[in-house]
Amino acid sequence: MLGRVVKYGVLGGTLLGSGYSLHANDYNVNSVALVRLANAGLAIYDIAWVYKRQLYYREWDKTTSEYAQQKIVCHKIAAERLLELIRTNRGVYIKVGQHIGALEYLLPSEFVQTMKVLHSKAPQNSVEDLFRVIRQDLKRDPREVFDDFEAEPLGTASLAQVHRARLKDSGSVVAVKVQHPYVRGNSIVDMKTMEMCCRLMAWIFPDFNMQWLVEESKRNLPIELDFLNEGRNAEQIASMCQSYKWLKIPKIHWEYSTDRVLVMEYVEGGQVDDLEYMQRHKIDPIEVSNHLGSLYANMIFVNGFVHSDPHPGNILVAKTPRGDTQVMLLDHGLYSTLTDQFRYDYSQLWLSILRVDRPAMREYSAKLGIRGNLYGIFACMVTGRPWEAVLTGIDRTRASTSEKKTIQSETSDVLPQIADVLEHVDRQMLLILKTNDLIRSIETTLGTQNRQTAFSVMSRCCIQTVFRQQQAQTTSEWTRFALKLRQTFMHLKMSLYYTYLWILNSRIWS
């Protein structure tokens, strides 16, 4: 009896979901929940069958090169099949695929590298599809609002695509971001489907636990679907970072913006990972990396308002007419707002890692939700470095290509522990991990990942946050004065230390 109730309940829910999707998406057949669920189900079956037939069909000696090679083959086939599903179902699936493509030090490289294509080559809709959204939201014909609306998008992402156009009334050149027509209507059904798929995969493969990713996507998606919120984020970060003269945040044209259409100032430049563009325009990659390092260190440790999608398509660089290097930050839909306590604990964790203070690493990892010996894996996830480098001192050893390959090849051996960390860590940490990995990936591409400047700036920001929190917790003027003196002393000591490391490394690597 119970089984029948469950069976008909699932069937009824799926049929209702299908009807809701059709209604919400102008009765487009591709939005039918049953079709999307079938696509996902077939993909999961195919992936499971690949592993069962090619990897789990016998007991392996996991120390052999034969096992390692076969595992790579299976990961690659599975990743390609997952990418096929993502491109078929689009929308939320692309968002999750992009998230996977950002977790460079947490997931097998075959999945990460395969999904990276979604950061710049997401499937696109026709201009007529977008015009329908504009017409519905602005209650005007798009041709009455825009001149020269270019058919080829400047960029296509998981939830929207951006086109260059000109406003009829002012003649201003603008970038028009329009939400994909079917994303909102499909989102509820897609999240339920992905949750079911993740639970099924975790049942088939106990090492596979991506429930944390589903939960994060469910929490963040409604926020990202509201383009008016994105406009407010852009204005908030522009105000917060107005002292950075090298930073450009496009201005919002509010009179033409809705929750599905965002019209903003058009800016032009090369992607932050385009070394050829930088060389052609005489832009120094080290200067760009220093700007980004300073920006994100202050966002994370000092201000607590963090742009959490810094993939290369969202950061442009250019030379100003005066010859200065300019960094342009785009796509402000996803931000982390960090509490004071989280920033204090996270700052203390980083300072303990830089000091190679294992008891403090354990203490502040525990404050962030990581218990027991998992603090070691957590420190590796935070830094993107192996445990040997953490113990030696990440500011005293250089990250290398071979080190990165070692991390990625060993990731699958500790997937259960990584999944455990991601399941229990403070939820504020999840987007920070993604942000860290994206920034590290940019620095690796630019060849600037071993800058002492980055450690120096981050250390200063951590010290500032720690002492600010301590000063806020005391009412004694004498204690505040003593803390201020101690902070100044620590900044001086830090400056001398990193100057020493810079001189030492200059001699070693010259």
Side-chain angles (χ1 to χ4, degrees):
M1 178 68 179
L2 178 61
R4 188 177 300 173
V5 169
V6 171
K7 180 174 71 174
Y8 287 117
V10 171
L11 177 61
T14 304
L15 289 172
L16 284 172
S18 300
Y20 175 81
S21 290
L22 277 172
H23 175 72
N25 293 297
D26 297 332
Y27 298 93
N28 182 287
V29 177
N30 291 326
S31 70
V32 174
L34 282 171
V35 173
R36 301 174 73 78
L37 181 60
N39 291 337
L42 285 172
I44 295 300
Y45 175 82
D46 290 345
I47 290 170
W49 181 244
V50 164
Y51 282 103
K52 181 175 177 59
R53 186 184 60 199
Q54 299 191 33
L55 192 65
Y56 295 140
Y57 67 95
R58 68 180 178 91
E59 291 292 326
W60 293 84
D61 178 354
K62 295 186 177 181
T63 63
T64 63
S65 59
E66 183 186 5
Y67 171 76
Q69 187 58 43
Q70 191 61 25
K71 187 167 60 174
I72 289 171
V73 170
C74 288
H75 285 338
K76 185 63 177 173
I77 295 171
E80 291 289 350
R81 182 65 181 91
L82 182 59
L83 180 63
E84 182 185 338
L85 167 65
I86 288 168
R87 282 176 161 161
T88 300
N89 278 7
R90 301 190 180 190
V92 177
Y93 286 79
I94 295 175
K95 175 60 66 176
V96 173
Q98 287 176 335
H99 202 142
I100 292 172
L103 300 175
E104 194 152 2
Y105 292 87
L106 305 183
L107 297 175
S109 62
E110 294 76 26
F111 280 90
V112 172
Q113 296 305 318
T114 301
M115 296 304 153
K116 275 189 173 183
V117 69
L118 295 171
H119 283 140
S120 57
K121 296 181 180 177
Q124 67 185 64
N125 290 291
S126 69
V127 169
E128 283 307 315
D129 282 341
L130 304 184
F131 274 9
R132 188 170 72 253
V133 174
I134 295 172
R135 197 175 292 113
Q136 289 170 351
D137 281 31
L138 297 184
K139 311 301 182 190
R140 296 173 64 182
D141 190 293
R143 294 171 182 83
E144 296 175 3
V145 180
F146 303 108
D147 271 334
D148 306 324
F149 195 102
E150 294 183 358
E152 187 64 27
L154 296 169
T156 306
S158 55
L159 306 181
Q161 59 196 61
V162 182
H163 291 254
R164 186 179 184 273
R166 188 183 301 276
L167 290 175
K168 274 202 168 190
D169 58 0
S170 65
S172 301
V173 179
V174 293
V176 185
K177 181 174 182 178
V178 185
Q179 199 169 109
H180 295 314
Y182 309 123
V183 167
R184 185 162 296 182
N186 290 334
S187 60
I188 297 174
V189 173
D190 286 348
M191 290 310 308
K192 289 292 184 185
T193 303
M194 279 192 292
E195 188 166 17
M196 289 168 55
C197 291
C198 282
R199 290 186 187 280
L200 178 61
M201 288 294 286
W203 179 68
I204 298 172
F205 307 115
D207 290 352
F208 181 97
N209 185 352
M210 299 291 281
Q211 186 60 27
W212 61 272
L213 180 56
V214 174
E215 293 301 325
E216 275 303 288
S217 298
K218 283 166 65 175
R219 186 171 70 87
N220 292 324
L221 187 61
I223 300 170
E224 292 186 83
L225 286 172
D226 182 0
F227 287 0
L228 293 176
N229 182 66
E230 178 177 343
R232 290 189 291 270
N233 287 343
E235 290 194 341
Q236 182 173 342
I237 200 66
S239 174
M240 190 178 292
C241 299
Q242 57 186 325
S243 62
Y244 294 139
K245 303 305 180 186
W246 45 264
L247 180 65
K248 175 72 175 177
I249 307 293
K251 291 182 172 59
I252 307 299
H253 290 266
W254 289 107
E255 65 273 28
Y256 302 112
S257 297
T258 70
D259 60 353
R260 293 196 300 168
V261 179
L262 189 65
V263 179
M264 65 205 103
E265 176 186 5
Y266 174 75
V267 294
E268 200 165 5
Q271 284 195 182
V272 71
D273 62 345
D274 189 343
L275 275 171
E276 185 182 336
Y277 176 91
M278 290 191 190
Q279 291 166 359
R280 198 164 61 246
H281 291 82
K282 296 182 172 55
I283 296 173
D284 183 1
I286 293 178
E287 184 182 9
V288 170
S289 289
N290 286 341
H291 286 335
L292 286 178
S294 177
L295 176 63
Y296 273 87
N298 276 278
M299 280 184 184
I300 292 171
F301 297 106
V302 179
N303 296 314
F305 188 64
V306 188
H307 180 283
S308 297
D309 201 12
H311 69 73
N314 287 341
I315 305 175
L316 303 182
V317 293
K319 277 285 187 184
T320 67
R322 293 175 51 186
D324 300 324
T325 296
Q326 186 174 68
V327 175
M328 291 157 278
L329 196 59
L330 313 178
D331 196 342
H332 301 273
L334 185 59
Y335 271 73
S336 303
T337 302
L338 310 177
T339 65
D340 291 344
Q341 187 62 48
F342 174 86
R343 288 186 294 110
Y344 177 81
D345 293 335
Y346 189 45
S347 295
Q348 289 281 30
L349 174 65
W350 261 109
L351 290 172
S352 69
I353 290 171
L354 292 171
R355 293 194 309 267
V356 196
D357 182 346
R358 292 179 67 175
M361 285 186 219
R362 181 189 287 269
E363 177 187 352
Y364 287 101
S365 293
K367 289 179 183 295
L368 293 169
I370 308 304
R371 304 290 178 182
N373 290 327
L374 286 175
Y375 80 91
I377 287 179
F378 184 49
C380 295
M381 292 165 65
V382 166
T383 61
R385 304 290 299 277
W387 184 236
E388 293 75 16
V390 173
L391 291 180
T392 305
I394 60 170
D395 54 355
R396 295 190 286 275
T397 57
R398 291 199 161 208
S400 63
T401 304
S402 60
E403 181 181 280
K404 177 180 172 182
K405 288 180 179 177
T406 299
I407 293 172
Q408 290 179 330
S409 66
E410 293 177 353
T411 294
S412 57
D413 296 330
V414 291
L415 269 180
Q417 291 88 343
I418 290 175
D420 198 16
V421 168
L422 295 172
E423 191 70 27
H424 293 98
V425 74
D426 188 308
R427 296 297 90 183
Q428 297 173 86
M429 194 70 225
L430 293 176
L431 283 177
I432 298 298
L433 287 171
K434 173 191 172 185
T435 303
N436 286 349
D437 279 341
L438 285 167
I439 293 295
R440 267 196 294 267
S441 178
I442 290 170
E443 290 181 339
T444 300
T445 302
L446 297 181
T448 59
Q449 68 270 39
N450 291 304
R451 303 173 346 275
Q452 294 300 334
T453 310
F455 293 114
S456 177
V457 168
M458 187 174 62
S459 299
R460 288 177 180 277
C461 289
C462 289
I463 291 169
Q464 180 180 341
T465 296
V466 167
F467 279 96
R468 182 190 288 175
Q469 182 78 347
Q470 290 174 351
Q471 287 167 351
Q473 292 174 347
T474 182
T475 57
S476 166
E477 288 301 324
W478 169 250
T479 303
R480 285 202 183 106
F481 177 71
L483 285 169
K484 193 69 178 173
L485 281 180
R486 190 174 163 213
Q487 181 180 355
T488 302
F489 174 70
M490 285 192 69
H491 277 310
L492 176 61
K493 188 168 71 170
M494 199 72 69
S495 296
L496 292 173
Y497 172 68
Y498 282 113
T499 300
Y500 162 74
L501 283 184
W502 180 78
I503 293 171
L504 183 66
N505 285 332
S506 296
R507 289 178 178 176
I508 292 173
W509 299 102
S510 61

